[in-house]
């Protein structure tokens, strides 16, 4: 379209308004430009809608990140407890597929996060010694509660260390 317009302008002789092909090419270019402009506006609106939807799922992503790092921290308990990001992503994908769908985003998020938490717990426990499973569950619970600001750090430290000011 652009090439034909430039060709018409270059080969045009005399009065440009008398050149029917040039006028038709200009009108066609104007129509196409309007269509492209409308499609760009629609694309911008669609991008905003996609960003809003994507941002709605951030709590599930945050939960996934917390659970992955809980799994990773189990290597501090025993060197045999190594979990790869790729295997965790498989568990995450499974949780997305298996969680109950819902048209209400908050319910969908709750379903995803519940399925993810259960699947990560089950996945982690398959490779843990029996004596470390309770520690894993405790660590998961504490990290999730801390992320939701339900457990202040001072209280957790008091629980873990006791009152060291009395010593």
């Amino acid at each position: 379209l652009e090439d034909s317009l430039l060709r018409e302008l270059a080969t045009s002789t005399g009065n440009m308004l008398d050149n029917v092909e040039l006028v038709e090419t200009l009108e066609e270019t104007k129509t196409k430009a309007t269509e492209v402009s409308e499609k760009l506006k629609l694309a911008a609106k669609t991008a905003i809608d996609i960003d809003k939807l994507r941002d709605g799922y951030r709590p599930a992503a945050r939960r996934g990140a917390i659970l992955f790092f809980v799994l990773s921290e189990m290597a501090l308990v025993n060197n045999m407890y190594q979990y790869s990001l790729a295997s965790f992503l498989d568990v995450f994908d499974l949780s997305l597929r298996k969680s109950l769908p819902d048209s209400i985003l908050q319910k969908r998020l709750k379903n995803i996060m519940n399925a993810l938490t259960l699947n990560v717990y089950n996945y982690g426990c398959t490779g843990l010694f029996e004596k470390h499973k309770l520690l894993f569950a405790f660590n998961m619970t504490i990290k999730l509660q801390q992320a939701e600001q339900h457990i202040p750090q001072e209280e957790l430290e008091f629980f873990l260390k006791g009152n060291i000011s009395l010593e």
Side-chain angles (χ1 to χ4, degrees):
L1 192 63
E2 193 176 306
D3 292 338
S4 65
L5 178 60
L6 289 173
R7 186 175 12 89
E8 292 291 330
L9 285 172
T11 60
S12 177
T13 57
N15 189 356
M16 288 188 188
L17 296 176
D18 292 337
N19 188 342
V20 176
E21 287 182 35
L22 178 61
V23 171
E24 287 175 357
T25 304
L26 284 170
E27 287 178 11
E28 186 179 342
T29 303
K30 180 180 175 184
T31 304
K32 294 287 185 187
T34 304
E35 288 176 17
V36 167
S37 175
E38 289 172 5
K39 288 180 181 178
L40 285 173
K41 288 177 185 175
L42 180 62
K45 183 183 178 301
T46 303
I48 290 170
D49 292 343
I50 289 171
D51 287 344
K52 285 181 186 176
L53 283 173
R54 183 183 62 222
D55 287 343
Y57 285 91
R58 287 198 189 273
R62 194 173 307 116
R63 170 73 60 100
I66 291 166
L67 293 174
F68 174 72
F69 287 112
V70 168
L71 273 175
S72 295
E73 288 175 356
M74 289 305 291
L76 299 173
V77 175
N78 190 319
N79 287 337
M80 291 188 345
Y81 301 149
Q82 301 287 327
Y83 299 94
S84 71
L85 179 59
S87 62
F88 177 80
L89 290 176
D90 290 340
V91 174
F92 192 91
D93 288 341
L94 173 74
S95 300
L96 288 176
R97 286 192 311 273
K98 297 292 182 179
S99 62
L100 296 173
D102 202 305
S103 59
I104 299 171
L105 180 62
Q106 293 305 319
K107 289 182 181 178
R108 175 73 175 138
L109 283 174
K110 183 177 179 184
N111 294 340
I112 289 171
M113 291 190 295
N114 288 341
L116 179 62
T117 304
L118 179 64
N119 290 337
V120 168
Y121 176 77
N122 289 335
Y123 172 72
C125 283
T126 58
L128 296 177
F129 292 126
E130 197 64 36
K131 65 182 179 180
H132 294 139
K133 290 180 181 180
L134 187 59
L135 175 66
F136 177 59
F138 177 73
N139 198 17
M140 277 181 62
T141 304
I142 291 298
K143 296 292 184 181
L144 292 174
Q145 292 297 311
Q146 280 182 319
E148 295 175 11
Q149 308 324 213
H150 292 183
I151 298 178
Q153 186 64 29
E154 304 81 39
E155 290 181 18
L156 178 62
E157 288 177 10
F158 180 79
F159 175 74
L160 295 175
K161 298 176 186 175
N163 190 356
I164 56 175
S165 64
L166 295 176
E167 294 177 4

